[in-house]
Every structure is written in structure tokens, then in C-alpha cells.
């Protein structure tokens, strides 16, 4: 059913159609509209046999989801940014226990300095938590990926995070094809847990494990990610059969990556999330002018689709990974994963860190990155649109006086006095 | 004339007194007891927590016809009961983290409600650290929402599992490995304390009670009563820890009794935020009698002792006695002389 609808509302309605039994929520921008909508939907009785629990923290949100999932209930929650960090301990617990919880992460920066706008620092910080991570490029794929998420989670018994750019997607009104209940029921059978707290068949879950088996349990977490990697393309095809469209967008190759105009490309950008939309526009313009450029979108960041990335980029001379997060002290996060996919392949890989804390990644910025890649003037690590003057003034202050004051406030004052 | 007691053993190794009326038998003496925390676990000899958990969970099992799920916080109880494959639990049991037992239990209860299985009940359990400190936020949230969970805190007054460090429930002057008996104010400082039963009552939840392993009938009765009520319920059980307290393992029950008889640990019940029953002190003792057998208080006694600190502890006990009316006034005065 086509609707002109806010991304958050679309996600909420899709989640509702997946018939969760327990939804727990703690508010944080830009996730709020999703859980607000779900409360309304549950109260209207539109999800049968569903409990909505307002918890007192994200730590408890994930913990409630753990208890519910271990009791055999399909469990859902949503968070972002500081909230994701606040639930890190139960996050690892959920994946370690193999509980197929689905969670939306409305991607937002992490403070300090506190910042409510979009980047990927939150989800990227949890890339090794054992959760599967899917990144939506637009709100249609945000909606679709939630259905995929429940399906994948329950098939391999691992939790899945659906990452969608905060505000850029969560608060954007778009035309979205929302799924019919019947189709969702066909795609997503009811949840059959591998483990359940049941008085008729009592078992202990969450026991202490020593060196004799810990490595094996951890290894199984890896195996399940690899199983997901095998399963996702098939599930994506099944999705297309039922819903008549590709789950991760029209350029979805296999549910793992999307490719756009990479044929014969000399420069290929690699990105996750909504920035891919802007990139496509720039790529069209530049292709028109004869520049051979394309983009590889990564939908499944965990498991990381090494083969799909290698297949897409193996013959490309120049790859630029555009990242909305980075690892201080070394640089790119996504790019180091891309490098693993392309090891032993002679290719130049640059990292462009862009769009932190909501800074817009404009068409000009993207065009600039591409042009410098063509000119061989793009350094291995670059921060796009960095205000160098602002930084130099602060560094100068550091040299000049010991008590130079709080950094962020200094920068803002300098900006204000420009 | 004295009666020769005859004991019998049943299949679950329960021991019972034949002469007591079947209806009055404690749960542990019944052949039908669930034996939820069975033998073979690795608690220290004389562990009050193992004893308390065994009585509490079996009573809850009896009250729910075995339709019970337990959620456990990290701590001694979790560790000594489950180095797999040697789990001692004979009921569905889930351990997630140190600080989230109450929230996990909320999730279990919510799932059961969604599944229409509200005949299955939920107990969450943790140590004092997991309850009054790190798990306090989730516990308060569970109370405030009045989720259908009985939360049981086994209070041994310190972080025992990590080797005896101070918690928010550690009593003043007690020596732990982070409150050494060194300097002019040895042991834990005299803080405001964190009285979880009172805090639970302030949430207005339907049932709050305290108990000790000295009166196991009372503990069983309170668990059973709690299971007749829906909503958030809180049970705070004093469980002496021979290792952490530096006490003899055969004195666990005696110390638990002295804790109440001295007035330091009031035993009471509260419903909807109001105290409804208090266990009177039968033989009032000075706090010294309770403190002296415990090495964690050794620095208070002897030539280099601290009578000032002892007096301060006695004052706490006296305040409790007055506040909870633990003594019949006349008896109390008589004993004090
Ligand atoms: C987040 C976190 N912090 C610290 C610990 C270490 N830890 C495990 S058990 C424990 C002490 C438990 O104390 P308490 O709750 O009083 O239970 P007890 O062992 O005394 O029965 C601590 C500090 C942990 N497991 N998780
Ligand atoms: S340290 Fe204390 S609480 Fe832990 S098992 Fe030993 S006696 Fe029990
Ligand atoms: Mg303790």
C-alpha cells in the first residue's frame, strides 16, 4: 500500500506487521517517533497479544527484550547514540545468548560534545557486539529491512540491528510501499525459539562458561554470522517474490550490497546509509560528463560481505570509502573492512570521513572527493569539509596557554566571532 | 515430659518431623518439595545465601504448582550454582547480567502475559550489590511499573563473589577488602545507608517484607504470601556469609537470629507502603553479642577496640527498636539494664 509517510511511522507500522509480542522503549532523539507510533498502535489493539513496556533506561530496554526473547516472545526495541552505548552490556549479552531481538538504531552522533544529529558513530561502535547490522539507504529499505531482520534473526538465532540515518531518514516524509499483513505473515512465519524458559522443560540459560568452551561458544557466534551471510541472498529473493521489490533498494544485488553504475568505473565510492542517494545524483551528473564513477552500498555490515565486496571492487583501480564515523588514532572503520575484502588486490583505497554530527554531505563535497580521487590528490585519510582554520586556532591556544579552556566551547566562540 | 523426635527421609532427601501435622510442615520437610536448588553446588560451608535461596525458591515453587521461572543476577548464588554442566537449578533459570535481573524478569513477565500464560510466575533474585547498587535503577523501574515479579535480595552485606568488597548494604564499621580496619575510623564509614525495604515501600508496591535465614518458616510463609499477590513484590533476606563475615560456618543461623534480636535487622511486612506486621524481639541482646563472633568487626573489640563505634552501632539498633516497635516496652527496658 503506497503511503506518503514519515520514515519513523513507516518503520513502526512495518514492525507492527511483524507481530512482535513485547516492545520495550526508552526515548532518545531521533528514535522517538518510532516508539511513540508503536505505543499508539499497541493501544489501538492493532497488534494482537503485544505488551508495550516503558522502561527507565536503555540498559533495561535491552534487558527486558532479553527476558522476553528467552521466554519465546518476538521482542523489539529501538534506540540511538547515547542510548545504544547505555545498553552495551546487555547488547553483548543478547548476542552471546543467541536471542533474536530486532532493534532499530536511528543513527546519531555520540558525545561529548553532545550532538543529536546523524552520523554512524553509534552503530559502528557496536560492530563487534555480535549483532547483525543492516543499513538502510532510504525509508523504503528501512521498512523492508525490518521484515528481513526478524526473518534473519530468527533463522540464525542472533539479534539484528537495523540502522537508519537519524532525522535524514527517520524524520523524512517519503512515498513508501507499506507491506500488507497477509504478505508479511507469508514472509515471516511465527517465531520458534531454540531455547525457552518453560516450567515443563526446565533448563538453565546463561550459565558460567570457562576456558573449556568459551572459545567454541564465541566461534559459534561467528559461524551464525557466516550462516546469515549465506542465507540473506535467498531471503532477499524470497522477499522480492512476495513483495515484488528488492528489500534493500532497487540496486540491491543480493541483500548484502547494492551497486550503482560500477560497470567499468575508474573510481568507486563505498558507503552505508542515506548518503548513497546523494551519491547517485552526483554519479549521474559525472557519468554524463564522461567520468567513470559508481557507488557500492553496503547493506549488511555485519556479517561483512567479503566476497560481494571483492566481486564488486576487484577490478576497480580506485576505491574511496566515505564514512560517517571513524576510529580515532587510526582512521577508517569501514575502509579497514573493505581492505580485508581486497587484500592481495592492487587497488588504491582512500578513506573520506564525512557528515559527522549532522554536517551535510553535499553534492559538491561528493564531487570534490571524486575529482580528487581521479587526480590522485586524495590522501589515504581525509576529513571532508574540515574547517582547518578553526582547528589551527585551537591548537595555537593549546601551545600558548596551559589553561586553554574547554575545546568545544572555544571553537563555538571562535565561530561566533567570525 | 519430653517427646522423642523421629525424623524421616524422603526421596528428595528432605528431612521431616513425623510428629508435626502434615499441614504445618515447612516446605523443605515435605516429600513434595521441589528441590529447586539441588545438592552439589559450590557454595561455602554454612552459606546463608544458599540456604535462603533454597527455602525461598522451593516455597515459591510450592505456591505456583511448579509454574515458576527464575531470573538471577550475577553474584555468588549464580556462580556457585551453575558452572555448567553442573547446574543446581531444577526450574527454568536465566542469568543475564549483574545489574539487570529486575528488568530481565520484567521481560519474562511481559512475554508470559502476551502469551496468555499468566499462571506462570516470575522470581528475580540477586545479592545486595546486585540489588541496592548496580541493579537499583532497573529494580526501581520494575517497582514503579508494578510488574508482576517477586524480587528477592539475598543480603550478605557486601560484594562476596568478587572477594568481599563494600556495597551500599555494608554496615558501618564492617571490615571489607575496600574498607580496611585501618586508621582512626576503621571499616566501613557511618553513612546514611540505603534501606532497600523502605525504598521499596516508598514505591507503594503491594508487598514488601524482610526475613532472615534464622526463621525459615517465616521466610517460606512470606514467599508464599508474596505469590498470592500480583504486581511488584520485594523480599529482603539477611543471609550471613561465613567467608565475608569471618564467622564460623555453623553459626550462620545463630548470627542471623542475633541480627534481629539485637535490633540491627528489623523483620517486618508491609503492604501498599505501610508496615502491617513486625516480628517482636524475643530476647533482646546488645549489638556486641551479634558483632563479636564476626571477624569483620574484630577491630571494635579488645585493648585497641573502638567503644565509640560500638556505641554508635548500638544507637542504630536502639533507633530501629523504637522505630519498628520491635520490643514490648517493659521487656525492652528490663533487658537493657
Ligand atoms: C557490570 C559488572 N560490574 C562488576 C561485576 C563484578 N561482580 C560480579 S559479582 C559481584 C559481586 C556481587 O555482590 P552481591 O550482589 O552482593 O552478591 P554476592 O556475591 O555477595 O551474593 C561483582 C562486583 C560484574 N559482573 N558486572
Ligand atoms: S562467599 Fe559467602 S555468599 Fe558466597 S558462597 Fe561463600 S558463604 Fe556463600
Ligand atoms: Mg552480597
Amino acid at each position: 500500500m503506497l503511503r506518503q509517510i514519515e520514515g519513523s511511522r513507516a518503520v513502526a507500522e512495518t514492525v507492527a506487521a511483524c507481530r512482535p509480542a513485547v516492545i520495550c522503549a526508552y526515548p532518545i532523539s531521533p528514535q522517538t517517533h518510532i516508539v511513540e507510533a508503536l505505543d499508539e498502535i499497541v493501544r489501538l489493539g492493532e497488534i494482537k497479544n503485544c505488551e508495550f513496556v516503558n522502561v527507565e533506561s536503555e540498559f533495561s530496554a535491552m534487558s527486558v527484550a532479553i527476558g522476553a526473547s528467552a521466554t519465546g516472545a518476538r521482542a523489539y526495541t529501538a534506540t540511538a547514540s547515547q542510548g545504544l552505548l547505555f545498553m552495551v552490556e546487555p547488547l553483548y549479552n543478547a548476542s552471546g545468548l543467541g536471542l533474536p531481538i530486532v532493534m532499530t538504531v536511528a543513527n546519531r552522533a555520540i558525545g561529548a560534545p553532545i550532538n543529536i544529529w546523524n552520523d554512524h558513530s553509534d552503530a559502528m561502535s557496536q560492530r563487534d557486539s555480535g549483532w547483525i547490522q543492516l543499513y538502510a539507504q532510504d525509508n523504503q529499505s528501512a521498512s523492508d529491512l525490518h521484515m528481513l531482520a526478524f526473518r534473519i534473526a530468527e533463522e540464525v538465532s542472533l539479534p539484528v540491528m537495523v540502522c537508519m540515518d537519524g532525522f535524514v531518514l527517520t524524520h523524512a516524509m517519503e512515498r513508501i510501499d507499506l507491506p500488507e499483513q497477509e504478505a508479511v505473515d507469508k514472509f515471516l512465519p511465527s517465531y520458534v525459539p531454540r531455547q525457552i524458559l518453560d516450567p515443563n522443560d526446565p533448563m538453565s540459560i546463561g550459565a558460567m562458561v570457562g576456558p573449556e568452551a568459551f572459545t567454541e561458544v564465541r566461534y559459534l557466534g561467528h559461524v551464525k554470522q557466516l550462516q546469515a551471510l549465506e542465507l540473506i541472498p535467498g531471503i532477499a529473493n524470497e522477499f522480492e517474490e512476495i513483495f515484488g521489490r528488492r528489500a534493500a533498494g532497487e540496486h540491491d544485488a543480493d541483500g548484502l550490497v547494492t551497486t550503482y553504475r560500477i560497470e567499468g568505473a575508474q573510481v568507486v565510492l563505498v558507503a552505508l546509509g542515506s548518503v548513497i542517494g546523494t551519491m547517485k545524483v552526483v554519479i549521474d551528473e559525472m557519468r554524463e560528463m564522461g567520468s567513470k564513477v559508481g557507488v557500492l552500498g553496503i547493506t549488511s555490515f555485519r556479517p561483512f560481505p567479503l566476497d560481494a565486496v571483492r566481486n564488486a571492487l576487484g577490478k576497480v583501480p580506485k576505491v574511496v570509502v566515505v564514512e560517517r564515523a571513524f576510529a580515532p588514532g587510526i582512521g577508517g572503520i569501514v575502509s579497514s573492512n573493505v581492505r580485508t575484502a581486497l587484500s592481495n588486490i592492487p587497488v588504491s583505497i582512500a578513506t573520506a570521513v564525512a557528515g559527522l554530527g549532522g554536517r551535510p554531505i553535499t553534492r559538491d563535497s561528493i564531487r570534490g572527493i571524486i575529482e580528487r580521487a581521479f587526480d590522485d590528490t586524495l590522501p589515504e585519510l581525509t576529513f571532508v569539509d574540515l574547517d582547518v582554520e578553526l582547528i589551527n586556532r585551537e591548537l595555537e591556544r593549546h601551545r600558548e596557554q596551559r589553561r586553554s579552556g574547554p575545546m568545544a566551547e572555544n571553537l563555538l566562540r571562535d565561530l561566533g566571532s567570525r | 515430659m519430653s517427646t522423642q523426635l523421629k525424623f524421616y527421609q524422603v526421596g528428595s532427601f528432605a528431612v521431616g518431623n513425623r510428629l508435626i501435622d502434615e499441614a504445618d510442615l515447612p516446605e523443605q520437610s515435605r516429600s513434595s518439595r521441589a528441590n529447586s536448588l539441588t545438592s552439589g553446588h559450590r557454595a561455602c560451608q554454612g552459606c546463608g545465601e544458599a540456604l535462603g535461596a533454597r527455602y525461598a525458591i522451593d516455597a515459591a515453587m510450592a505456591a505456583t504448582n511448579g509454574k515458576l521461572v527464575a531470573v538471577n543476577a550475577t553474584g555468588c548464588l549464580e556462580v556457585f550454582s551453575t558452572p555448567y554442566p553442573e547446574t543446581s537449578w531444577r526450574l527454568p533459570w536465566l542469568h543475564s547480567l549483574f545489574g539487570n535481573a529486575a528488568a530481565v524478569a520484567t521481560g519474562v513477565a511481559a512475554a508470559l502475559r502476551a502469551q496468555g500464560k499468566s499462571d506462570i510466575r516470575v522470581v528475580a533474585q540477586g545479592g545486595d550489590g546486585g540489588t541496592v547498587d548496580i541493579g537499583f535503577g532497573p529494580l526501581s523501574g520494575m517497582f514503579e511499573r508494578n510488574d508482576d515479579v517477586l524480587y528477592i535480595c539475598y543480603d550478605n552485606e557486601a560484594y562476596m563473589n568478587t572477594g568481599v568488597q563494600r556495597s551500599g548494604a555494608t554496615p558501618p564499621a564492617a571490615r571489607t577488602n575496600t574498607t580496611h580496619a585501618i586508621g582512626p575510623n576503621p571499616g566501613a564509614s557511618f553513612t546514611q545507608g540505603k534501606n532497600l525495604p523502605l525504598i521499596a515501600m516508598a514505591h507503594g508496591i503491594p508487598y514488601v517484607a524482610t526475613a532472615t535465614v534464622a526463621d525459615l518458616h517465616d521466610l517460606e510463609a512470606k514467599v508464599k504470601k508474596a505469590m498470592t499477590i500480583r504486581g511488584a513484590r520485594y523480599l529482603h533476606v539477611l543471609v550471613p556469609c561465613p567467608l565475608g563475615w569471618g564467622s564460623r560456618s555453623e553459626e550462620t543461623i545463630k548470627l542471623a537470629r542475633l541480627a534481629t534480636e539485637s535490633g540491627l535487622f528489623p523483620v517486618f511486612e508491609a503492604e501498599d507502603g505501610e508496615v502491617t506486621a513486625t516480628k517482636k524481639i524475643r530476647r533482646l541482646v546488645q549489638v556486641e553479642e551479634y558483632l563479636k563472633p564476626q571477624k569483620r568487626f574484630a577491630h571494635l573489640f579488645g585493648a585497641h577496640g573502638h567503644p565509640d563505634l560500638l556505641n554508635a552501632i548500638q544507637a542504630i539498633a536502639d533507633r530501629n527498636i523504637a522505630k519498628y516497635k520491635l520490643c514490648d516496652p517493659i521487656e525492652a527496658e528490663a533487658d537493657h539494664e
Side-chain angles (χ1 to χ4, degrees), chain B residues 49 127-130 154-161 167:
Chain B
E49 189 160 291
D128 50 292
Y154 302 108
D155 181 7
N156 52 23
E157 304 190 323
Y159 295 115
M160 297 312 179
N161 184 54
S167 82

Side-chain angles (χ1 to χ4, degrees), chain A residues 21-22 51 67-73, chain B residues 105-117:
Chain A
V22 175
E51 294 287 324
S69 185
T71 312
Chain B
T106 290
V108 174
L112 291 170
R113 209 160 44 240
Q115 294 163 349
K117 297 182 193 160

Side-chain angles (χ1 to χ4, degrees), chain A residues 21-22 49 51 53-56 59-60 63-64 66-68 70-73 89-90 93 197-199 202-208, chain B residues 66 68-69 82 84 87 89-97 99-100 103-104 106-108 110-115 120 137-138 141 145:
Chain A
V22 175
N49 305 322
E51 294 287 324
V53 187
N54 278 299
V55 286
E56 77 297 330
F59 177 78
S60 282
S63 302
V64 167
I66 287 169
T71 312
E89 201 195 6
N93 196 252
L197 296 165
D198 176 7
M203 59 179 78
S204 298
I205 304 177
M208 189 159 206
Chain B
L68 190 69
V69 174
T82 57
Y84 227 69
T87 182
W89 298 103
R90 308 203 325 153
L91 80 168
W93 180 92
L94 172 63
H95 163 249
S96 174
L97 298 169
N100 71 353
V104 172
T106 290
V108 174
L112 291 170
R113 209 160 44 240
Q115 294 163 349
I120 303 176
R145 292 184 301 267

Side-chain angles (χ1 to χ4, degrees), chain A residues 301-416:
Chain A
F301 186 63
R302 285 293 179 273
F304 191 77
L306 290 171
D307 289 343
V309 171
R310 195 179 303 118
N311 288 342
L313 300 180
K315 296 196 176 67
V316 177
K318 291 173 191 172
V319 171
V320 184
V321 184
V322 180
E323 308 202 31
R324 281 196 130 119
F326 75 106
I330 171 151
I333 300 170
V334 181
S335 58
S336 69
N337 289 259
V338 169
R339 234 176 227 117
T340 305
L342 300 181
S343 54
N344 301 323
I345 296 176
V347 52
S348 113
I349 303 172
T351 306
V353 179
L356 299 186
R359 177 164 297 179
I361 308 180
T362 63
R363 282 191 289 174
D364 283 347
S365 333
I366 292 167
R367 197 178 299 106
I369 296 168
I370 297 169
E371 279 166 359
R372 286 164 74 197
F374 272 114
D375 297 350
D376 287 324
T377 55
L378 194 64
E380 215 172 286
L381 174 64
T382 180
F383 288 77
V384 179
D385 299 333
L386 196 65
D387 192 333
V388 179
E389 188 201 318
L390 208 57
I391 286 164
N392 284 340
R393 275 181 76 174
E394 177 65 7
L395 288 175
E396 198 180 310
R397 232 183 328 256
H398 288 191
R399 280 191 296 273
E400 280 169 1
Q401 63 203 96
R402 179 68 213 167
R403 188 179 288 192
S404 52
M407 261 187 321
E409 288 71 7
N410 285 344
L411 263 58
L412 290 176
R413 204 176 326 102
D414 287 348
L415 261 183

